[in-house]
Structure formats: structure tokens, C-alpha cells
């Protein structure tokens, strides 16, 4: 029930591209751990019920959004320059640890718009996360670390060939702006 609720809220937020990215990363995670799952049928049934339950709870929003998207830019494949418009530039990656290094809201001089790339993880949280990753004995820590690295490489957009591969070969990936 918690998964249905969480995915439903994400759908109802109106940012369907992030729902798409969540499903995509969740699918990769499932592919990576599926061989280790003991009760495969129950696992897959739970995932299906979570997706179907969220889809049923948000059906009106999904159908209205699908109809509106068919009449907008999202109804067609976008050029790669538009899809890559809000990628994570090198200075935005730097701002993960030092948020106001390139200025704040009124005096920002970094690349792109301030509000599109204003991400922040405190230096303390970053160091603690690295420390936890190092000392953790959790069997899936390499999977989570790999997914984080994969997402960072995807977030930098066309600066890596990974983004171009997804743009060309993943369904619907070329219909969303922002990474």
C-alpha cells in the first residue's frame, strides 16, 4: 500500500518525466536483484500491484495528461538539444557541495538558470554517505552505488554517450525536457 501511495503522489504531482525516470531506474534495480530474489512470483506480483494500483488511483489524471500531451511538444519526439536543455553542467555538479559558489538567486553567474540547477547535498552529508558506503556490509551496496553513478552520468546529458544511447533507443525518453 505504501508503494501505491508513493507512486500515486508522484503521478499526481504533474511531473510525468520524473515518474518515467523512477520506473526506468526501478526497472534497472529489479533486473539487477531479480536473480537473488527467493520468491520471484510474489516479488513480481507485488511490483505489478503497486503499478496497477497507482495507475487506477490516478487514472483520471493519467488520461487527461495523456490527451493534453498529444497536443503539446510531448506528443512528439523532441530534438536532442531540447531534451538536454536542463542537464547537469559541471558547475551544477560542483554546486552539490557548495550551493552558492556561483552566486545566489539574485547574482548567479554560473551556467544555465539558477533555479534549474540549484541542487545541494551538504558536505557533511556527502562525507557521511561515503563513509557509510565504505563501512556498510549490506549486500546490495554495490548495486546502489552503481545506480547512483549511472544516474549522475545520465544527468550530465550529452556530455556522455549514455544519454545519446537512451535518447535513441529508450521509448519515450526523447519526449521529455530536463534530465
Amino acid at each position: 500500500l505504501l508503494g501505491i501511495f508513493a507512486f500515486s503522489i508522484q503521478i499526481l504531482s504533474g511531473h510525468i518525466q520524473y515518474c518515467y525516470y523512477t520506473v526506468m531506474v526501478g526497472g534497472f534495480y529489479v533486473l539487477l536483484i531479480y536473480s537473488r530474489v527467493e520468491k520471484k512470483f510474489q516479488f513480481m506480483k507485488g511490483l505489478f500491484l503497486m503499478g496497477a494500483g497507482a495507475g487506477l488511483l490516478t487514472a483520471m489524471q493519467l488520461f487527461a495528461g495523456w490527451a493534453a500531451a498529444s497536443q503539446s511538444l510531448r506528443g512528439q519526439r523532441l530534438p536532442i538539444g531540447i531534451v538536454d536543455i536542463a542537464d547537469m553542467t559541471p558547475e551544477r555538479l560542483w554546486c552539490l557541495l557548495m550551493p552558492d559558489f556561483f552566486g545566489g538567486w539574485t547574482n548567479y553567474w554560473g551556467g544555465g538558470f539558477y533555479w534549474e540547477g540549484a541542487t545541494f547535498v551538504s558536505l557533511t552529508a556527502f562525507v557521511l554517505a561515503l563513509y557509510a558506503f565504505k563501512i556498510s556490509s549490506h549486500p546490495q551496496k554495490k548495486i546502489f552505488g552503481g545506480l547512483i553513478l549511472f544516474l549522475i552520468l545520465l544527468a550530465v546529458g550529452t556530455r556522455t554517450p549514455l544519454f545519446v544511447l537512451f535518447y535513441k533507443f529508450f521509448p519515450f525518453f526523447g519526449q521529455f525536457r530536463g534530465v
Side-chain angles (χ1 to χ4, degrees), residues 97-114:
L97 300 176
M98 298 176 67
D100 291 331
F101 184 80
F102 293 101
W105 180 258
T106 57
N107 59 351
Y108 181 70
W109 55 273
F113 297 112
Y114 176 77

Side-chain angles (χ1 to χ4, degrees), residues 90-171:
E91 57 264 12
R92 288 181 180 163
L93 285 173
W94 184 255
C95 288
L96 282 170
L97 300 176
M98 298 176 67
D100 291 331
F101 184 80
F102 293 101
W105 180 258
T106 57
N107 59 351
Y108 181 70
W109 55 273
F113 297 112
Y114 176 77
W115 55 86
E116 288 180 344
T119 56
F120 174 65
V121 175
S122 73
L123 187 58
T124 306
F126 182 71
V127 169
L128 287 174
L130 288 178
Y131 178 71
F133 186 75
K134 182 180 183 214
I135 67 164
S136 174
S137 62
H138 195 279
Q140 294 181 0
K141 80 175 184 179
K142 290 181 182 175
I143 292 174
F144 290 125
L147 282 173
I148 289 169
L149 182 62
F150 164 75
L151 290 173
I152 290 171
L153 289 174
L154 193 60
V156 295
T158 55
R159 290 173 182 82
T160 63
L162 184 65
F163 186 86
V164 177
L165 286 171
F166 272 77
Y167 175 79
K168 288 182 178 178
F169 299 111
F170 253 65

Side-chain angles (χ1 to χ4, degrees), residues 20-139:
Y20 175 80
Y21 297 144
T22 300
V23 170
M24 181 181 71
V25 172
F28 285 141
Y29 177 72
V30 167
L31 287 174
L32 290 171
I33 68 161
Y34 190 70
S35 64
R36 299 178 187 157
V37 173
E38 292 178 14
K39 299 179 180 180
K40 293 182 182 350
F41 179 73
Q42 288 180 331
F43 178 73
M44 293 307 287
K45 184 173 107 176
L47 288 175
F48 172 77
L49 289 175
M50 192 167 57
L56 289 172
L57 279 175
T58 60
M60 293 302 285
Q61 173 82 11
L62 287 174
F63 289 133
W66 193 272
S70 67
Q71 299 173 10
S72 72
L73 279 177
R74 289 190 179 152
Q76 60 190 349
R77 187 171 186 84
L78 299 172
I80 196 164
I82 292 176
V83 173
D84 188 47
I85 205 162
D87 62 344
M88 195 59 97
T89 61
E91 57 264 12
R92 288 181 180 163
L93 285 173
W94 184 255
C95 288
L96 282 170
L97 300 176
M98 298 176 67
D100 291 331
F101 184 80
F102 293 101
W105 180 258
T106 57
N107 59 351
Y108 181 70
W109 55 273
F113 297 112
Y114 176 77
W115 55 86
E116 288 180 344
T119 56
F120 174 65
V121 175
S122 73
L123 187 58
T124 306
F126 182 71
V127 169
L128 287 174
L130 288 178
Y131 178 71
F133 186 75
K134 182 180 183 214
I135 67 164
S136 174
S137 62
H138 195 279

